[in-house]
Structures are given as structure tokens and as C-alpha cells.
Amino acid sequence: MRSRSSRRDREAELVAFYGKEFASRLLIGTAGYPSPAIMQDAVRASGAEIVTVSLRRESAGGRMGNAFWSLIWELGVTVLPNTAGCRSVREAVTTAQLARELFDTPWIKLEVIGDEETLQPEVVGLVEAAAILVKDGFEVFAYCTEDLTVALRQGAFQAWFAWIFYLPLAVIGFPPLMFLTVSSFNTLYQFWIHTRTIGRLGPLELVLNTPSNHRVHHGRNPKYIDRNHGGTLIIWDRLFGTFQGEEEEPVYGITKPLASWNPVWANLHYWVELARTARRANRFSDQVRVFLKPGVLDPQGKAINEALHRLGHLRRLHAAGVIHDQQRLQARPAPADSPAFNPRVSARAREPACPQIRPPLP
């Protein structure tokens, strides 16, 4: 009787992935160790039965070779290749196909990175890549976060405040039928602008809320936050200074991980953050402004967003070849306190390097 009970307990502790059972629920990576030997020792000590391997990172780090892969095989674990470092659907799919040939496994831990600073996934591309790989016979482990806001079309509290802006229309004398007609049209209009398939539409971009303009509204890129609020017409954003044209491809989702699967918390978490921010205010007027104007008591966050905006601008200039000319950099006069002005500094230290742009630390 006791043996049956213990067997049931062991079976209950097992975890199954695609028909394979494992006693350990821990997945461990192979990157970032000081040496291959330490990596082996860490895997053995962890008791993990599944080890993730990045094909791109191991290749880029110069570790791709028979010696490294022999160490992996010696561990006797199940290898789960991943697409770490891939930032597009095409990259992820190609890397997965190469990993299948190399490791002879249909398993793939799928990652499509959308944000280089936070390494948050690009959710739309992730779904697209997963669909392609599943059709191709892969068994996909998708890397995703608790970004439930991606699935929310309307906020739960939107109806509580919308009437404040509609009430003046009734006071002015707009007929209810006219209001209902325009409101319904605005809602139906939203269906065709939520797409990445349609590009720019020429002169219509100046007047209408097009798919291109509305993609900006949903982007979490620093320059796209709180932009393009118009429902049907974009002229209001142009008039009130909230317009932003689509430049780099938007990254969708929220700026910080939700860290919860609770849909109620997905609707409430920002109110809690606002309340905590308001509590830090010394004046009552600032406490009120927290709920009316973004960035009132978050100078650090504002500075980071501005730095990230400049970072993106520098990257675009570098990609366009504007800031790669070494002679042009050498021709600039050096300040008196710079290394280039000091004759004691070595010649190598005075050589201008290609810009190594790194994101600011929060």
C-alpha cells in the first residue's frame, strides 16, 4: 500500500513536455560561465534534466566547436536549443531550423526580442514565428512574459471617464442620434487600423488615423509613449503636439513586466503605481497632477526616456553612416580636459573609437 502511494507521489511530481517526463522542473542555461568545466559542474549540481543552448550566442562567442558540444553531450541531459538574440521572425525561424539540424531535435525555445534594453519579447512576432515553426513540425517553448495588456482592447475604467468629455456635446446641443452614429463609426473604424500589413498611405497620413499612425500609439518605444490619441482623425494630435510619425518599428506591450497572470491586477496595477507616486508628493497640488500629467514626480524615468530617445537617434545616425568617419572625429577640437589634449596619454587612448552605445542604467 505504501509503495503504491509513494509511486503516485513520484508520478505527481513529474512534469511532462511533449510526451517526455522529467523529475526536475528546472531549466538551466549554458551561457555566462567562467569556464566550460564550471558550466558542467553547475548543471550537475542543479539536478536539471533540460539544458538550454543558444546557437547564435555560442557561435558569436567563439565557443562553437566539437569540444564545447562534447561537454554538453557528456552531461546526459535533454538539450533545448533556443533562439536567443533573434530580433525578427525570419531570424528566429532560420535559427530554429539550423538548431534542429545540429541537435536532431524538434524542440525549440522560441525568443523574438523586441526591446534591446529590457529584452522583453516582441509579442506579435513571437506568435507569427511560433505559427510558422509549429506548421514545420517543431515543438515550441515560447518565451513570453505576463503581458496581459496586449490582449486588452479597452481598459475596464475607460467608461468611467469618457462621459466627462462627451457631456459638453449634450450641453452644446448635439442630437443623441448624431452622437451615437459618430461614436459607432469611430469604434468600427478601429478594426482596420490594428494591423502591420498596411504601410503608409501617403497624404492620408496627414489627416486620418492610419495603421501607421496607430501603430505608434501602441508602441512602448520611449518616443512613442502617449502619442497619437486620435480615433479617426490625426489632426487633433498635430494641433495639440501629441503627434509622432512612425519611424523605427514599434515594440508592443507595456514598459515594465506585469509579473502576474491576474487579469484584475492587469487593470489595477497602474492605479496602484500612481497612488504610490502621489504619496511621495509633498504638496497636494502635485498629488493631483500625478493623475493628470505624466512624469510629474518621476524625473529619473523622464531622464531615462530622454536618454533612450537620444540613444535611438544615435543608432539611426550610425546605421546611416553619419557618425563613422574617424577622420571627421579627429578633426574636432578636443577640450582641454580631454585625453586627446594631454600629451602624456598614449596614442591608442587618443584614437577615437567607433561609438559603443550602451543603454543608461535605471
Side-chain angles (χ1 to χ4, degrees):
M1 189 71 175
R2 182 178 302 176
S3 61
R4 291 183 180 177
S5 177
S6 61
R7 185 167 63 251
R8 284 197 300 267
D9 292 340
R10 287 195 302 270
E11 291 176 353
E13 293 175 357
L14 295 177
V15 59
F17 298 118
Y18 291 107
K20 297 182 180 180
E21 293 185 340
F22 300 91
S24 174
R25 296 172 181 264
L26 177 65
L27 280 68
I28 191 169
T30 56
Y33 295 96
S35 69
I38 294 178
M39 180 268 293
Q40 271 193 320
D41 292 341
V43 174
R44 291 193 179 102
S46 70
E49 299 173 84
I50 302 176
V51 170
T52 64
V53 178
S54 171
L55 189 64
R56 286 172 57 91
R57 286 178 180 168
E58 300 301 342
S59 300
R63 298 170 63 184
M64 179 72 75
N66 293 332
F68 175 75
W69 300 124
S70 295
L71 294 175
I72 298 295
W73 299 125
E74 288 175 7
L75 292 170
V77 294
T78 299
V79 175
L80 175 60
N82 65 45
T83 62
C86 296
R87 289 172 170 78
S88 70
V89 173
R90 183 176 180 180
E91 271 188 305
V93 171
T94 302
T95 302
Q97 292 169 340
L98 290 173
R100 180 169 61 180
E101 295 300 320
L102 178 63
F103 296 105
D104 192 26
T105 176
W107 280 23
I108 191 71
K109 180 172 175 280
L110 180 61
E111 302 182 26
V112 181
I113 300 302
D115 192 317
E116 295 184 3
E117 280 71 39
T118 65
L119 296 182
Q120 290 288 294
E122 204 283 275
V123 291
V124 178
L126 184 69
V127 173
E128 184 178 342
I132 294 173
L133 293 175
V134 169
K135 289 181 180 179
D136 196 22
F138 281 87
E139 296 173 346
V140 177
F141 297 73
Y143 167 66
C144 56
T145 57
E146 311 90 334
D147 200 345
L148 299 182
T149 56
V150 177
L152 296 177
R153 283 300 184 193
Q154 301 291 338
F157 297 95
Q158 182 170 339
W160 293 22
F161 304 101
W163 66 270
I164 299 175
F165 301 95
Y166 296 147
L167 187 60
L169 299 177
V171 175
I172 294 173
F174 279 87
L177 181 59
M178 179 183 292
F179 169 78
L180 292 174
T181 301
V182 174
S183 178
S184 300
F185 175 80
N186 181 69
T187 301
L188 293 173
Y189 186 88
Q190 307 307 307
F191 283 91
W192 82 281
I193 60 176
H194 288 87
T195 179
R196 297 195 304 171
T197 304
I198 302 175
R200 296 181 183 273
L201 298 178
L204 294 179
E205 302 286 337
L206 302 174
V207 181
L208 296 177
N209 185 21
T210 62
S212 175
N213 289 331
H214 199 60
R215 286 192 291 267
V216 169
H217 174 74
H218 285 285
R220 68 180 177 211
N221 313 50
K223 66 164 63 176
Y224 292 164
I225 294 176
D226 294 330
R227 299 293 177 181
N228 297 4
H229 300 283
T232 303
L233 301 176
I234 205 65
I235 56 176
W236 310 115
D237 289 284
R238 294 182 180 275
L239 288 174
F240 292 104
T242 55
F243 174 77
Q244 171 64 52
E246 185 180 29
E247 296 175 1
E248 64 264 21
E249 185 175 357
V251 178
Y252 303 102
I254 56 178
T255 55
K256 293 186 294 185
L258 187 60
S260 173
W261 294 106
N262 190 331
V264 176
W265 177 246
N267 283 275
L268 295 178
H269 76 100
Y270 193 66
W271 292 99
V272 174
E273 290 183 14
L274 288 175
R276 290 172 178 170
T277 303
R279 192 182 305 166
R280 300 199 305 266
N282 295 323
R283 297 182 300 180
F284 177 75
S285 58
D286 287 339
Q287 293 179 342
V288 175
R289 289 173 61 212
V290 166
F291 293 88
L292 300 177
K293 185 178 180 181
V296 173
L297 294 178
D298 191 16
Q300 182 183 16
K302 183 178 180 181
I304 290 176
N305 279 343
E306 291 175 352
L308 290 176
H309 177 76
R310 292 194 299 271
L311 172 66
H313 181 62
L314 288 173
R315 281 176 174 156
R316 288 192 300 276
L317 290 176
H318 188 262
V322 177
I323 56 174
H324 76 285
D325 191 341
Q326 300 287 336
Q327 295 180 352
R328 188 183 308 167
L329 292 174
Q330 288 177 335
R332 294 181 180 176
D337 59 348
S338 70
F341 187 80
N342 189 346
R344 296 182 181 180
V345 178
S346 65
R348 183 174 181 179
R350 292 196 301 268
E351 291 179 359
C354 180
Q356 297 294 321
I357 303 170
R358 301 188 181 208
L361 294 175

